[in-house]
Each structure stands twice: as C-alpha cells, then as structure tokens.
Amino acid sequence: MAAACNLTFCVVGRDARQLAAARALQNSGYTVLGAEGAGQADYILLPMPMDAEAADLARILRAARPGTLALGGRISEPVRKAAQAAGVELVDYFLRPELACLNAVPTAEGCLALLMQLRQRTIWESEFLVLGYGRIGRAVARRLQALGGQVTIAARAPEQRAAARCAGLHAAPLTALEQLLPHFDAVINTIPAPVLGADQLRCLPRGALILDLASRPGGTDFAAARELGLRAEHALSLPARCAPETAGALVAHTVEVILQERAATARSERGVS
C-alpha cells in the first residue's frame, strides 16, 4: 500500500509486533522513528494494549506537536486523558471491525500452540469446551474441529448456538455450564465477563486446563483455580506472542487504511476529487 512522500511515523514500543509494524510502514514509504522522534512525527503509532505504560506514553505524547495524530489499540483512559492534555488526536485502531476479525486468526493459532504445549494429549479426539462464539470463539472452534477435536460451544445467544450447530459443533446454553464442566479437562474462554467463578471451577476435573483468551480481567477466577488444583492461563496478546510478524503487518495495514480514509474525507470537504 503506497504512502504519501515525506511523512513520518514515530513507532512507540519495542515488542515484536511493534517492530514488525514499523518495518511494514517503512516498506510503504514512511520514514519511521523511535519514541525519541515524537516531536518530529506526523503520526504516532502506540502499542496495544497500553495499560501498563500510561506514564511513559503520556511523556511521549507531551513531546508531540499539538495536532499530531496518534493511533493505538485498546486505549486506556489515562492515555486518552494524556493525549487530550497534549493536544494530540487519538484514534483506537482496534475498534476497526476488520482488524478485530483478522486478529482472531493469530489468536486462535496461538491458542492451539498453547494447547499442544501445555497438554500431553493430541487435539485429535480430545474434547474441548469453548465459552462464547464470537470472532475468536469461532476461529478457535473451527481450527480445533479441523484437527479432529470434539468441540462443544457454550453461548448465551440462541443465534450463536444455532451457528455453532450449523458448523457441525455441539452447542449448549451458558446456563448449563455447571452441568457441562465435569466432562471436560480443557476449557477455552473467550467471554470478557465473569463466567468461571469458584462455583463453576469446582465442577471441573482436578488438573483441568483453562485457557482464558478474554481481555483483562478475563472471565476466570484465577485465584480460585489455583486453590482447586486447576491450571488457568490468562493468554493475553497471543498475536504479539505467537505471530508478531503477521500481527504487526495487520496493524500497519489497518493504520494505513485509516489514514487513506481521512485523506479522502479531507479532499472531499475541500471539494477536491
């Protein structure tokens, strides 16, 4: 995707996903600087998520020129307030549905990698309980099924359960969770709300594995899981951990689309075709 000439990105963060995004932007023709270049940049690419880095990000935003556009994912309130105080416009690129959809792929593949790493059985002919059937739930279930896993979906919405059945999966209402749990030693949660509390966790077989893919704080009572002898992993940022090159390229592409759309809107408002 070609970029306009002489435009500069300040890419903040040194994890593998940010470095991959920086390379993708550079390949599109942008000049790419590190965090020290915030004051010279036309755009700032912030990391995702940003909760733990709010103080550092606020300092970087204060160094930017007023009116600079910053783009980040899952923007926290402290960072939002810091941008407002600095006069920096802030856009959350993770609100773009196409990125959320595509990001489900490396998340699902990362989930499979963890299952193979943490369990001593094949996915083939193993039984899995997946909580939720949104983008990530669908992506995970489809891949488990393709590898020969036996997948049951527990979901609140009747249409999600119907979609799961149409895909050849077993489906049950979330209200039946306590009846389902004794039959599974591997549970994958994708619901960003409390669903696996102490009462539900007691229903699982001892030694069961729970992978919680939901954003913070997740849907699992992790302290209760430890007390009950269950292994519960809050598997955050799987795309950055397991497929950073793909994840970074997806972020860069989404950001470029946002900039193109903004440029097209600006031209339309000026009456330029």
Side-chain angles (χ1 to χ4, degrees), residues 15-81:
D15 71 12
R17 174 168 49 189
Q18 285 297 93
L19 294 176
R23 287 191 292 274
L25 291 169
Q26 200 164 31
N27 289 339
S28 289
Y30 291 95
T31 299
V32 175
L33 306 173
E36 72 285 351
Q40 309 164 46
D42 300 289
Y43 310 113
I44 299 174
L45 181 64
L46 301 171
M48 176 178 70
M50 295 182 271
D51 304 344
E53 306 171 42
D56 288 341
L57 293 177
R59 175 180 52 79
I60 292 166
L61 291 169
R62 286 195 298 271
R65 294 172 294 187
T68 299
L69 174 64
L71 304 106
R74 291 178 176 157
I75 297 169
S76 64
E77 191 57 29
V79 173
R80 197 176 297 281
K81 289 180 178 177

CSV table of all heavy atoms in Angstrom, one decimal, residues 15-81:
chain,number,residue,atom,x,y,z
A,15,ASP,N,8.2,-4.2,21.4
A,15,ASP,CA,7.9,-5.7,21.3
A,15,ASP,C,7.9,-6.1,19.8
A,15,ASP,O,8.0,-5.2,18.9
A,15,ASP,CB,6.6,-6.0,22.0
A,15,ASP,CG,5.3,-5.5,21.3
A,15,ASP,OD1,5.4,-5.0,20.1
A,15,ASP,OD2,4.3,-5.5,21.9
A,16,ALA,N,7.8,-7.4,19.5
A,16,ALA,CA,8.0,-7.9,18.2
A,16,ALA,C,6.9,-7.4,17.2
A,16,ALA,O,7.1,-7.1,16.0
A,16,ALA,CB,8.0,-9.4,18.2
A,17,ARG,N,5.7,-7.2,17.8
A,17,ARG,CA,4.6,-6.7,16.9
A,17,ARG,C,4.8,-5.3,16.5
A,17,ARG,O,4.6,-5.0,15.3
A,17,ARG,CB,3.2,-6.8,17.7
A,17,ARG,CG,2.1,-6.2,16.9
A,17,ARG,CD,0.7,-6.6,17.5
A,17,ARG,NE,0.6,-6.4,18.9
A,17,ARG,CZ,-0.4,-6.8,19.6
A,17,ARG,NH1,-1.4,-7.4,19.1
A,17,ARG,NH2,-0.4,-6.6,20.9
A,18,GLN,N,5.3,-4.4,17.4
A,18,GLN,CA,5.5,-3.0,17.0
A,18,GLN,C,6.7,-2.9,16.1
A,18,GLN,O,6.7,-2.1,15.1
A,18,GLN,CB,5.8,-2.2,18.3
A,18,GLN,CG,4.6,-1.9,19.2
A,18,GLN,CD,3.6,-1.0,18.5
A,18,GLN,OE1,2.7,-1.5,17.9
A,18,GLN,NE2,3.8,0.3,18.5
A,19,LEU,N,7.7,-3.8,16.2
A,19,LEU,CA,8.8,-3.7,15.3
A,19,LEU,C,8.4,-4.2,13.9
A,19,LEU,O,8.8,-3.6,12.9
A,19,LEU,CB,10.0,-4.6,15.8
A,19,LEU,CG,10.6,-4.2,17.2
A,19,LEU,CD1,11.7,-5.2,17.6
A,19,LEU,CD2,11.3,-2.8,17.0
A,20,ALA,N,7.5,-5.2,13.9
A,20,ALA,CA,7.0,-5.7,12.6
A,20,ALA,C,6.2,-4.6,11.9
A,20,ALA,O,6.2,-4.4,10.7
A,20,ALA,CB,6.2,-6.9,12.8
A,21,ALA,N,5.3,-3.9,12.7
A,21,ALA,CA,4.5,-2.8,12.2
A,21,ALA,C,5.4,-1.7,11.6
A,21,ALA,O,5.1,-1.1,10.6
A,21,ALA,CB,3.6,-2.3,13.3
A,22,ALA,N,6.5,-1.4,12.4
A,22,ALA,CA,7.4,-0.3,11.9
A,22,ALA,C,8.0,-0.7,10.6
A,22,ALA,O,8.1,0.1,9.6
A,22,ALA,CB,8.5,-0.1,12.9
A,23,ARG,N,8.4,-2.0,10.4
A,23,ARG,CA,9.0,-2.4,9.1
A,23,ARG,C,8.0,-2.3,8.0
A,23,ARG,O,8.3,-1.9,6.9
A,23,ARG,CB,9.5,-3.8,9.2
A,23,ARG,CG,10.8,-4.0,10.1
A,23,ARG,CD,11.4,-5.4,9.9
A,23,ARG,NE,10.6,-6.4,10.5
A,23,ARG,CZ,10.7,-6.7,11.8
A,23,ARG,NH1,11.5,-6.1,12.6
A,23,ARG,NH2,9.9,-7.7,12.3
A,24,ALA,N,6.7,-2.7,8.3
A,24,ALA,CA,5.7,-2.6,7.3
A,24,ALA,C,5.4,-1.2,6.8
A,24,ALA,O,5.3,-0.9,5.6
A,24,ALA,CB,4.4,-3.3,7.8
A,25,LEU,N,5.4,-0.3,7.8
A,25,LEU,CA,5.2,1.2,7.5
A,25,LEU,C,6.4,1.7,6.6
A,25,LEU,O,6.2,2.5,5.7
A,25,LEU,CB,5.0,2.0,8.7
A,25,LEU,CG,3.7,1.7,9.5
A,25,LEU,CD1,3.7,2.4,10.9
A,25,LEU,CD2,2.5,2.2,8.7
A,26,GLN,N,7.6,1.3,7.0
A,26,GLN,CA,8.8,1.7,6.3
A,26,GLN,C,8.7,1.2,4.9
A,26,GLN,O,9.1,1.9,3.9
A,26,GLN,CB,10.0,1.2,7.0
A,26,GLN,CG,11.3,1.9,6.7
A,26,GLN,CD,12.4,1.6,7.6
A,26,GLN,OE1,12.5,0.6,8.2
A,26,GLN,NE2,13.3,2.6,7.9
A,27,ASN,N,8.3,0.0,4.7
A,27,ASN,CA,8.2,-0.6,3.3
A,27,ASN,C,7.1,0.1,2.5
A,27,ASN,O,7.2,0.1,1.3
A,27,ASN,CB,7.8,-2.1,3.4
A,27,ASN,CG,9.0,-2.9,3.9
A,27,ASN,OD1,10.1,-2.5,3.9
A,27,ASN,ND2,8.7,-4.1,4.5
A,28,SER,N,6.2,0.8,3.2
A,28,SER,CA,5.2,1.5,2.4
A,28,SER,C,5.6,3.0,2.1
A,28,SER,O,4.9,3.7,1.5
A,28,SER,CB,3.9,1.6,3.3
A,28,SER,OG,3.2,0.4,3.3
A,29,GLY,N,6.8,3.3,2.5
A,29,GLY,CA,7.4,4.6,2.2
A,29,GLY,C,7.4,5.6,3.2
A,29,GLY,O,7.9,6.8,3.0
A,30,TYR,N,7.0,5.3,4.4
A,30,TYR,CA,7.1,6.3,5.5
A,30,TYR,C,8.5,6.3,6.1
A,30,TYR,O,9.2,5.2,6.1
A,30,TYR,CB,6.1,5.9,6.7
A,30,TYR,CG,4.6,6.1,6.3
A,30,TYR,CD1,3.9,5.0,5.8
A,30,TYR,CD2,4.0,7.3,6.4
A,30,TYR,CE1,2.6,5.1,5.5
A,30,TYR,CE2,2.7,7.4,6.1
A,30,TYR,CZ,2.0,6.4,5.6
A,30,TYR,OH,0.6,6.5,5.3
A,31,THR,N,8.9,7.4,6.6
A,31,THR,CA,10.1,7.5,7.5
A,31,THR,C,9.6,7.1,8.9
A,31,THR,O,8.6,7.5,9.4
A,31,THR,CB,10.7,8.9,7.5
A,31,THR,OG1,11.1,9.3,6.2
A,31,THR,CG2,11.9,9.0,8.4
A,32,VAL,N,10.4,6.1,9.5
A,32,VAL,CA,10.0,5.6,10.8
A,32,VAL,C,11.0,5.9,11.8
A,32,VAL,O,12.2,5.7,11.6
A,32,VAL,CB,9.8,4.1,10.7
A,32,VAL,CG1,9.5,3.5,12.1
A,32,VAL,CG2,8.6,3.7,9.8
A,33,LEU,N,10.6,6.6,12.9
A,33,LEU,CA,11.5,6.9,14.0
A,33,LEU,C,11.0,6.2,15.3
A,33,LEU,O,9.9,5.7,15.3
A,33,LEU,CB,11.4,8.4,14.3
A,33,LEU,CG,11.7,9.4,13.1
A,33,LEU,CD1,11.4,10.8,13.5
A,33,LEU,CD2,13.1,9.2,12.6
A,34,GLY,N,11.9,6.1,16.3
A,34,GLY,CA,11.5,5.5,17.6
A,34,GLY,C,10.8,6.6,18.4
A,34,GLY,O,10.5,7.7,18.0
A,35,ALA,N,10.6,6.2,19.7
A,35,ALA,CA,9.9,7.1,20.6
A,35,ALA,C,10.5,8.5,20.7
A,35,ALA,O,9.8,9.5,21.0
A,35,ALA,CB,9.8,6.4,22.0
A,36,GLU,N,11.8,8.6,20.6
A,36,GLU,CA,12.5,9.9,20.7
A,36,GLU,C,12.1,10.8,19.6
A,36,GLU,O,12.4,12.0,19.7
A,36,GLU,CB,14.0,9.6,20.7
A,36,GLU,CG,14.7,9.2,19.4
A,36,GLU,CD,14.4,7.8,19.0
A,36,GLU,OE1,13.9,7.0,19.8
A,36,GLU,OE2,14.7,7.4,17.8
A,37,GLY,N,11.5,10.3,18.5
A,37,GLY,CA,11.1,11.2,17.4
A,37,GLY,C,9.7,11.7,17.5
A,37,GLY,O,9.2,12.2,16.4
A,38,ALA,N,9.1,11.6,18.6
A,38,ALA,CA,7.7,12.0,18.7
A,38,ALA,C,7.5,13.5,18.3
A,38,ALA,O,6.5,13.8,17.6
A,38,ALA,CB,7.1,11.8,20.1
A,39,GLY,N,8.4,14.4,18.6
A,39,GLY,CA,8.3,15.8,18.3
A,39,GLY,C,8.4,16.1,16.8
A,39,GLY,O,8.0,17.2,16.4
A,40,GLN,N,9.0,15.2,16.0
A,40,GLN,CA,9.2,15.4,14.6
A,40,GLN,C,8.1,14.7,13.7
A,40,GLN,O,8.1,14.9,12.5
A,40,GLN,CB,10.6,14.9,14.2
A,40,GLN,CG,11.7,15.4,15.1
A,40,GLN,CD,12.9,14.6,14.9
A,40,GLN,OE1,13.3,14.3,13.7
A,40,GLN,NE2,13.6,14.2,15.9
A,41,ALA,N,7.3,13.8,14.3
A,41,ALA,CA,6.5,12.9,13.6
A,41,ALA,C,5.2,13.5,13.1
A,41,ALA,O,4.6,14.4,13.8
A,41,ALA,CB,6.2,11.7,14.4
A,42,ASP,N,4.7,13.1,12.0
A,42,ASP,CA,3.3,13.4,11.5
A,42,ASP,C,2.3,12.5,12.2
A,42,ASP,O,1.2,13.0,12.5
A,42,ASP,CB,3.2,13.2,10.0
A,42,ASP,CG,4.2,14.1,9.2
A,42,ASP,OD1,4.0,15.3,9.2
A,42,ASP,OD2,5.2,13.5,8.7
A,43,TYR,N,2.7,11.3,12.5
A,43,TYR,CA,1.8,10.3,13.1
A,43,TYR,C,2.6,9.5,14.2
A,43,TYR,O,3.8,9.4,14.1
A,43,TYR,CB,1.3,9.3,12.1
A,43,TYR,CG,0.7,9.9,10.9
A,43,TYR,CD1,1.3,9.8,9.6
A,43,TYR,CD2,-0.5,10.7,11.0
A,43,TYR,CE1,0.8,10.3,8.5
A,43,TYR,CE2,-1.0,11.3,9.8
A,43,TYR,CZ,-0.4,11.1,8.6
A,43,TYR,OH,-0.9,11.7,7.5
A,44,ILE,N,1.9,9.1,15.2
A,44,ILE,CA,2.5,8.3,16.3
A,44,ILE,C,1.7,7.0,16.3
A,44,ILE,O,0.5,7.0,16.4
A,44,ILE,CB,2.4,9.0,17.6
A,44,ILE,CG1,3.2,10.3,17.6
A,44,ILE,CG2,3.0,8.1,18.7
A,44,ILE,CD1,3.1,11.1,18.8
A,45,LEU,N,2.5,5.9,16.3
A,45,LEU,CA,1.8,4.5,16.4
A,45,LEU,C,2.1,4.0,17.8
A,45,LEU,O,3.3,3.7,18.2
A,45,LEU,CB,2.4,3.6,15.4
A,45,LEU,CG,1.8,2.1,15.4
A,45,LEU,CD1,0.3,2.2,15.1
A,45,LEU,CD2,2.5,1.2,14.5
A,46,LEU,N,1.1,3.9,18.6
A,46,LEU,CA,1.2,3.5,20.0
A,46,LEU,C,1.0,2.0,20.1
A,46,LEU,O,0.3,1.4,19.2
A,46,LEU,CB,0.2,4.2,20.9
A,46,LEU,CG,0.3,5.7,20.9
A,46,LEU,CD1,-0.9,6.3,21.7
A,46,LEU,CD2,1.6,6.2,21.6
A,47,PRO,N,1.5,1.3,21.1
A,47,PRO,CA,1.3,-0.1,21.2
A,47,PRO,C,-0.1,-0.5,21.7
A,47,PRO,O,-0.9,0.3,22.0
A,47,PRO,CB,2.3,-0.5,22.3
A,47,PRO,CG,2.5,0.7,23.2
A,47,PRO,CD,2.3,1.9,22.2
A,48,MET,N,-0.3,-1.8,21.7
A,48,MET,CA,-1.6,-2.4,22.1
A,48,MET,C,-1.3,-3.6,23.0
A,48,MET,O,-0.6,-4.5,22.6
A,48,MET,CB,-2.4,-2.8,20.9
A,48,MET,CG,-3.8,-3.5,21.3
A,48,MET,SD,-4.8,-3.9,19.9
A,48,MET,CE,-3.8,-5.2,19.1
A,49,PRO,N,-2.0,-3.7,24.2
A,49,PRO,CA,-2.7,-2.7,24.9
A,49,PRO,C,-1.7,-1.7,25.6
A,49,PRO,O,-0.5,-1.9,25.5
A,49,PRO,CB,-3.5,-3.5,25.9
A,49,PRO,CG,-2.6,-4.7,26.2
A,49,PRO,CD,-1.9,-5.0,24.9
A,50,MET,N,-2.2,-0.7,26.3
A,50,MET,CA,-1.4,0.4,26.8
A,50,MET,C,-1.5,0.6,28.3
A,50,MET,O,-0.9,1.5,28.8
A,50,MET,CB,-1.7,1.7,26.1
A,50,MET,CG,-1.4,1.6,24.6
A,50,MET,SD,-1.8,3.2,23.8
A,50,MET,CE,-3.5,3.0,23.4
A,51,ASP,N,-2.1,-0.3,29.0
A,51,ASP,CA,-2.4,-0.1,30.4
A,51,ASP,C,-1.2,0.2,31.2
A,51,ASP,O,-1.1,1.1,32.1
A,51,ASP,CB,-3.2,-1.3,31.0
A,51,ASP,CG,-4.5,-1.5,30.2
A,51,ASP,OD1,-4.9,-0.7,29.5
A,51,ASP,OD2,-5.0,-2.6,30.4
A,52,ALA,N,-0.2,-0.7,31.1
A,52,ALA,CA,1.0,-0.7,31.9
A,52,ALA,C,2.0,0.4,31.6
A,52,ALA,O,2.9,0.6,32.3
A,52,ALA,CB,1.7,-2.1,31.9
A,53,GLU,N,1.8,1.1,30.5
A,53,GLU,CA,2.8,2.1,30.0
A,53,GLU,C,2.2,3.5,30.0
A,53,GLU,O,2.7,4.3,29.3
A,53,GLU,CB,3.2,1.7,28.6
A,53,GLU,CG,3.7,0.2,28.5
A,53,GLU,CD,4.0,-0.2,27.1
A,53,GLU,OE1,4.5,0.6,26.3
A,53,GLU,OE2,3.6,-1.3,26.7
A,54,ALA,N,1.2,3.7,30.8
A,54,ALA,CA,0.5,5.0,30.6
A,54,ALA,C,1.4,6.2,30.9
A,54,ALA,O,1.4,7.2,30.3
A,54,ALA,CB,-0.7,5.1,31.6
A,55,ALA,N,2.3,6.1,32.0
A,55,ALA,CA,3.1,7.2,32.3
A,55,ALA,C,4.1,7.5,31.2
A,55,ALA,O,4.4,8.7,30.9
A,55,ALA,CB,3.9,6.9,33.7
A,56,ASP,N,4.8,6.4,30.7
A,56,ASP,CA,5.7,6.6,29.6
A,56,ASP,C,5.0,7.2,28.4
A,56,ASP,O,5.6,8.1,27.7
A,56,ASP,CB,6.4,5.3,29.2
A,56,ASP,CG,7.4,4.9,30.3
A,56,ASP,OD1,7.8,5.7,31.1
A,56,ASP,OD2,7.7,3.7,30.3
A,57,LEU,N,3.9,6.7,28.1
A,57,LEU,CA,3.1,7.2,26.9
A,57,LEU,C,2.7,8.6,27.0
A,57,LEU,O,2.8,9.4,26.1
A,57,LEU,CB,1.9,6.3,26.6
A,57,LEU,CG,2.2,4.9,26.2
A,57,LEU,CD1,0.9,4.1,26.0
A,57,LEU,CD2,3.0,4.8,24.9
A,58,ALA,N,2.3,9.0,28.2
A,58,ALA,CA,2.0,10.4,28.5
A,58,ALA,C,3.2,11.3,28.2
A,58,ALA,O,3.0,12.4,27.6
A,58,ALA,CB,1.5,10.6,29.9
A,59,ARG,N,4.4,10.9,28.6
A,59,ARG,CA,5.6,11.7,28.4
A,59,ARG,C,5.8,11.9,26.9
A,59,ARG,O,6.2,12.9,26.4
A,59,ARG,CB,6.7,11.1,29.1
A,59,ARG,CG,8.1,11.7,28.8
A,59,ARG,CD,9.2,11.0,29.5
A,59,ARG,NE,9.2,9.6,29.3
A,59,ARG,CZ,9.7,9.0,28.2
A,59,ARG,NH1,10.2,9.8,27.2
A,59,ARG,NH2,9.7,7.7,28.0
A,60,ILE,N,5.6,10.8,26.1
A,60,ILE,CA,5.9,10.8,24.7
A,60,ILE,C,4.8,11.7,24.0
A,60,ILE,O,5.2,12.5,23.1
A,60,ILE,CB,5.8,9.4,24.1
A,60,ILE,CG1,7.0,8.6,24.6
A,60,ILE,CG2,5.8,9.4,22.6
A,60,ILE,CD1,6.9,7.1,24.4
A,61,LEU,N,3.6,11.6,24.5
A,61,LEU,CA,2.5,12.4,23.9
A,61,LEU,C,2.8,13.9,24.1
A,61,LEU,O,2.5,14.8,23.3
A,61,LEU,CB,1.2,12.0,24.4
A,61,LEU,CG,0.7,10.6,23.9
A,61,LEU,CD1,-0.5,10.2,24.7
A,61,LEU,CD2,0.4,10.6,22.4
A,62,ARG,N,3.3,14.2,25.3
A,62,ARG,CA,3.6,15.6,25.6
A,62,ARG,C,4.7,16.2,24.7
A,62,ARG,O,4.7,17.4,24.4
A,62,ARG,CB,4.0,15.8,27.1
A,62,ARG,CG,2.9,15.7,28.1
A,62,ARG,CD,3.3,16.2,29.4
A,62,ARG,NE,4.4,15.4,30.0
A,62,ARG,CZ,4.2,14.3,30.8
A,62,ARG,NH1,3.0,13.9,31.0
A,62,ARG,NH2,5.3,13.7,31.2
A,63,ALA,N,5.6,15.3,24.2
A,63,ALA,CA,6.6,15.8,23.3
A,63,ALA,C,6.2,16.0,21.9
A,63,ALA,O,6.9,16.6,21.1
A,63,ALA,CB,7.8,14.7,23.3
A,64,ALA,N,5.0,15.5,21.5
A,64,ALA,CA,4.5,15.6,20.2
A,64,ALA,C,4.0,17.0,19.9
A,64,ALA,O,3.6,17.7,20.8
A,64,ALA,CB,3.4,14.6,20.0
A,65,ARG,N,4.0,17.4,18.6
A,65,ARG,CA,3.4,18.7,18.3
A,65,ARG,C,1.9,18.6,18.4
A,65,ARG,O,1.2,17.6,18.1
A,65,ARG,CB,3.8,19.0,16.8
A,65,ARG,CG,5.2,19.2,16.6
A,65,ARG,CD,5.6,19.3,15.1
A,65,ARG,NE,5.3,18.1,14.4
A,65,ARG,CZ,5.6,17.9,13.1
A,65,ARG,NH1,6.2,18.9,12.4
A,65,ARG,NH2,5.3,16.7,12.5
A,66,PRO,N,1.3,19.7,18.9
A,66,PRO,CA,-0.2,19.7,19.0
A,66,PRO,C,-0.8,19.5,17.6
A,66,PRO,O,-0.3,20.0,16.6
A,66,PRO,CB,-0.5,21.1,19.5
A,66,PRO,CG,0.8,21.5,20.3
A,66,PRO,CD,1.9,20.9,19.5
A,67,GLY,N,-1.8,18.7,17.6
A,67,GLY,CA,-2.5,18.3,16.3
A,67,GLY,C,-2.0,17.1,15.7
A,67,GLY,O,-2.6,16.6,14.7
A,68,THR,N,-0.9,16.5,16.2
A,68,THR,CA,-0.4,15.2,15.7
A,68,THR,C,-1.4,14.2,15.9
A,68,THR,O,-2.2,14.1,16.9
A,68,THR,CB,0.9,14.9,16.5
A,68,THR,OG1,1.9,15.9,16.2
A,68,THR,CG2,1.5,13.5,15.9
A,69,LEU,N,-1.5,13.2,15.0
A,69,LEU,CA,-2.4,12.1,15.1
A,69,LEU,C,-1.7,10.9,15.7
A,69,LEU,O,-0.7,10.5,15.2
A,69,LEU,CB,-3.0,11.8,13.7
A,69,LEU,CG,-3.9,10.5,13.7
A,69,LEU,CD1,-5.2,10.7,14.5
A,69,LEU,CD2,-4.3,10.1,12.2
A,70,ALA,N,-2.3,10.4,16.8
A,70,ALA,CA,-1.7,9.2,17.4
A,70,ALA,C,-2.7,8.0,17.2
A,70,ALA,O,-3.9,8.2,17.4
A,70,ALA,CB,-1.4,9.4,18.9
A,71,LEU,N,-2.2,6.8,16.9
A,71,LEU,CA,-3.1,5.7,16.7
A,71,LEU,C,-2.6,4.6,17.7
A,71,LEU,O,-1.4,4.3,17.7
A,71,LEU,CB,-3.1,5.2,15.3
A,71,LEU,CG,-3.4,6.3,14.2
A,71,LEU,CD1,-2.2,6.8,13.5
A,71,LEU,CD2,-4.4,5.8,13.2
A,72,GLY,N,-3.5,4.0,18.4
A,72,GLY,CA,-3.2,2.9,19.3
A,72,GLY,C,-4.3,1.9,19.5
A,72,GLY,O,-5.4,2.2,18.9
A,73,GLY,N,-4.1,0.8,20.1
A,73,GLY,CA,-5.1,-0.2,20.3
A,73,GLY,C,-5.5,-0.4,21.7
A,73,GLY,O,-4.7,-0.4,22.6
A,74,ARG,N,-6.8,-0.5,21.9
A,74,ARG,CA,-7.4,-0.7,23.3
A,74,ARG,C,-6.8,0.4,24.2
A,74,ARG,O,-6.2,0.1,25.2
A,74,ARG,CB,-7.0,-2.1,23.8
A,74,ARG,CG,-7.7,-3.2,23.1
A,74,ARG,CD,-7.3,-4.6,23.7
A,74,ARG,NE,-8.1,-5.6,23.0
A,74,ARG,CZ,-7.6,-6.9,23.0
A,74,ARG,NH1,-6.5,-7.3,23.5
A,74,ARG,NH2,-8.4,-7.8,22.4
A,75,ILE,N,-7.2,1.6,23.9
A,75,ILE,CA,-6.7,2.8,24.5
A,75,ILE,C,-7.3,2.9,25.9
A,75,ILE,O,-8.5,2.8,26.1
A,75,ILE,CB,-7.0,4.0,23.7
A,75,ILE,CG1,-6.3,4.0,22.4
A,75,ILE,CG2,-6.6,5.3,24.5
A,75,ILE,CD1,-6.7,5.0,21.4
A,76,SER,N,-6.4,3.0,26.9
A,76,SER,CA,-6.8,3.2,28.3
A,76,SER,C,-7.2,4.6,28.6
A,76,SER,O,-6.8,5.6,27.9
A,76,SER,CB,-5.7,2.7,29.3
A,76,SER,OG,-4.6,3.6,29.2
A,77,GLU,N,-8.0,4.8,29.6
A,77,GLU,CA,-8.5,6.2,30.0
A,77,GLU,C,-7.3,7.1,30.3
A,77,GLU,O,-7.3,8.3,29.9
A,77,GLU,CB,-9.5,6.1,31.1
A,77,GLU,CG,-10.2,7.4,31.3
A,77,GLU,CD,-11.0,7.9,30.1
A,77,GLU,OE1,-11.4,7.1,29.2
A,77,GLU,OE2,-11.1,9.2,30.0
A,78,PRO,N,-6.3,6.7,31.1
A,78,PRO,CA,-5.2,7.6,31.4
A,78,PRO,C,-4.5,8.0,30.1
A,78,PRO,O,-4.1,9.2,30.0
A,78,PRO,CB,-4.2,6.7,32.3
A,78,PRO,CG,-5.1,5.7,32.9
A,78,PRO,CD,-6.2,5.4,31.9
A,79,VAL,N,-4.3,7.2,29.1
A,79,VAL,CA,-3.6,7.6,27.9
A,79,VAL,C,-4.5,8.5,27.1
A,79,VAL,O,-4.1,9.5,26.5
A,79,VAL,CB,-3.3,6.3,27.0
A,79,VAL,CG1,-2.8,6.7,25.7
A,79,VAL,CG2,-2.3,5.5,27.8
A,80,ARG,N,-5.8,8.3,27.1
A,80,ARG,CA,-6.8,9.2,26.5
A,80,ARG,C,-6.7,10.6,27.1
A,80,ARG,O,-6.7,11.6,26.3
A,80,ARG,CB,-8.2,8.6,26.6
A,80,ARG,CG,-9.2,9.2,25.6
A,80,ARG,CD,-10.5,8.5,25.7
A,80,ARG,NE,-10.5,7.1,25.3
A,80,ARG,CZ,-10.4,6.7,24.1
A,80,ARG,NH1,-10.5,7.5,23.1
A,80,ARG,NH2,-10.4,5.4,23.9
A,81,LYS,N,-6.7,10.7,28.4
A,81,LYS,CA,-6.6,12.0,29.0
A,81,LYS,C,-5.2,12.6,28.7
A,81,LYS,O,-5.2,13.9,28.6
A,81,LYS,CB,-6.8,11.8,30.5
A,81,LYS,CG,-8.2,11.4,30.9
A,81,LYS,CD,-8.3,11.3,32.4
A,81,LYS,CE,-9.8,10.9,32.8
A,81,LYS,NZ,-9.9,10.7,34.3
